[in-house]
Amino acid sequence: MTKKIGFIGLGIMGKPMALNLIKAGHTLTVNDLNQEAVQTLLEAGATEARSPREVAENSEIIITMLPASHHVQSVVLGDNGILAGAKEGSIIIDMSSITPAVSKRLAEDAAKRGVGFLDAPVSGGEPKAIDGTLAIMVGGKEDVFEAAKSVLFDMGSAVTLVGDSGCGVTAKLANQIIVNLNIAAMSEALVLAAKAGIDIEKMYQAIRGGLAGSTVLDAKVPLILERNFAPGGTIAINMKDITNVMDTAHEIGVPLPLSSHLLEIFHALKVDGKLMDDHGGIVQYYEKLANVEVRGS
């Protein structure tokens, strides 16, 4: 069943997700500061709105895919924001990766206006955003989820209601710990092997079928061997996520020694000018320590 959908935030992830909604037959109204991204969507059949409020006025479901908590708060709560134009009974789906505390507050503010709210961050990076196979972890009321579920499946292949408001973004924080620490561990191993002088490609083939094998290993090692750090998920975005991890963990009394070290690695990469590299570029931190480069043969 096709719907009138608004989409705000047409970045690396948002643009292909929005295009998949058009391919699924939905009517799309879009808003973004990047006019080049907007133009791509217009050419695919979308309509442009000049503000989040105008997006909401023309939509049953309004999706946000924005960099950080303060962006989402501004777009939802601002004078010209979504809630200023949203109709009673409409649904906001925030697919950004923000803090659980902010997500819960936004759900409460939306409820006061009779508007449903889901936090529905994603995992899978740009490739899965393009082919529509994202993993989507959702927090919110079950009836709101059921009303929006078909739209989420037009962008992802695994859509799971984790619990009430804030549970989706909490699951995403856990996801980001696992993904980024996996890349860091993999980077240590690659640098060790490179410094020892063994064939990295052969080592990768030798270990990928065993217990060390993972989706992260298969996604990142081939790119590292090509020295391809074009962003599917930037170090900047992942540093923001791990900052949110640490803030949330400290609020609820959970020490995270590995994640705290990872955050310092991200800050070192920032100082080194690597913020806009893919997070597979974590390997460059370890390469600098060992004075070696991981390359294919």
Side-chain angles (χ1 to χ4, degrees):
M1 189 169 144
T2 60
K3 295 184 180 293
K4 292 170 68 177
I5 299 174
F7 206 108
I8 302 169
L10 304 172
I12 290 173
M13 299 292 288
K15 184 167 75 171
M17 290 163 67
L19 287 168
N20 281 332
L21 292 173
I22 292 175
K23 287 176 192 169
H26 300 292
T27 302
L28 212 67
T29 303
V30 300
N31 175 257
D32 195 272
L33 296 174
N34 183 339
Q35 279 303 305
E36 189 178 332
V38 169
Q39 190 58 40
T40 301
L41 268 296
L42 297 183
E43 289 168 4
T47 302
E48 183 180 10
R50 295 297 178 182
S51 68
R53 177 177 184 157
E54 190 182 330
V55 171
E57 288 170 345
N58 290 284
S59 307
E60 304 165 71
I61 292 176
I62 307 100
I63 296 171
T64 51
M65 188 59 165
L66 298 162
S69 295
H70 68 276
H71 298 108
V72 181
Q73 287 175 301
S74 175
V75 162
V76 174
L77 303 176
D79 292 340
N80 223 12
I82 292 170
L83 286 181
K87 305 177 194 74
E88 189 173 338
S90 60
I91 297 170
I92 299 169
I93 307 176
D94 177 40
M95 306 190 76
S96 321
S97 296
I98 65 174
T99 65
V102 169
S103 203
K104 288 174 188 174
R105 283 198 298 272
L106 291 173
E108 290 166 5
D109 288 334
K112 291 172 188 172
R113 306 284 187 95
V115 174
F117 188 95
L118 298 173
D119 49 286
V122 306
S123 182
E126 186 183 19
K128 288 183 177 288
I130 291 169
D131 65 20
T133 59
L134 290 164
I136 304 175
M137 46 219 91
V138 189
K141 303 296 181 192
E142 191 163 358
D143 59 330
V144 179
F145 172 71
E146 289 299 327
K149 185 166 69 172
S150 64
V151 170
L152 294 171
F153 271 109
D154 288 328
M155 297 176 283
S157 58
V159 180
T160 307
L161 180 65
V162 182
D164 209 340
S165 293
C167 290
V169 287
T170 302
K172 178 60 187 283
L173 294 182
N175 178 87
Q176 294 303 78
I177 293 172
I178 294 168
V179 169
N180 285 290
L181 283 176
N182 200 331
I183 294 173
M186 177 191 79
S187 296
E188 284 199 4
L190 291 174
V191 167
L192 173 69
K195 192 84 181 216
I198 72 171
D199 186 313
I200 306 295
E201 289 178 85
K202 287 181 178 175
M203 182 198 79
Y204 165 57
Q205 293 302 330
I207 68 173
R208 65 191 293 255
L211 199 56
S214 69
T215 303
V216 166
L217 194 77
D218 287 338
K220 299 302 181 184
V221 170
L223 295 176
I224 290 170
L225 293 178
E226 295 169 8
R227 309 306 294 171
N228 179 1
F229 300 120
T234 63
I235 284 170
I237 288 292
N238 284 278
M239 185 168 83
K240 178 264 299 182
D241 288 343
I242 299 301
T243 301
N244 287 344
V245 163
M246 295 311 305
D247 289 346
T248 302
H250 290 159
E251 281 173 20
I252 60 176
V254 179
L256 297 176
L258 292 178
S259 296
S260 65
H261 184 61
L262 175 64
L263 185 55
E264 292 306 307
I265 290 173
F266 279 140
H267 278 285
L269 288 162
K270 177 183 177 180
V271 172
D272 209 21
K274 309 293 189 187
L275 262 187
M276 298 314 295
D277 285 0
D278 184 80
H279 57 159
I282 289 171
V283 73
Q284 296 167 105
Y285 169 82
Y286 291 99
E287 289 175 333
K288 197 169 185 179
L289 291 180
N291 192 29
V292 70
E293 198 171 78
V294 176
R295 281 190 175 274
S297 53

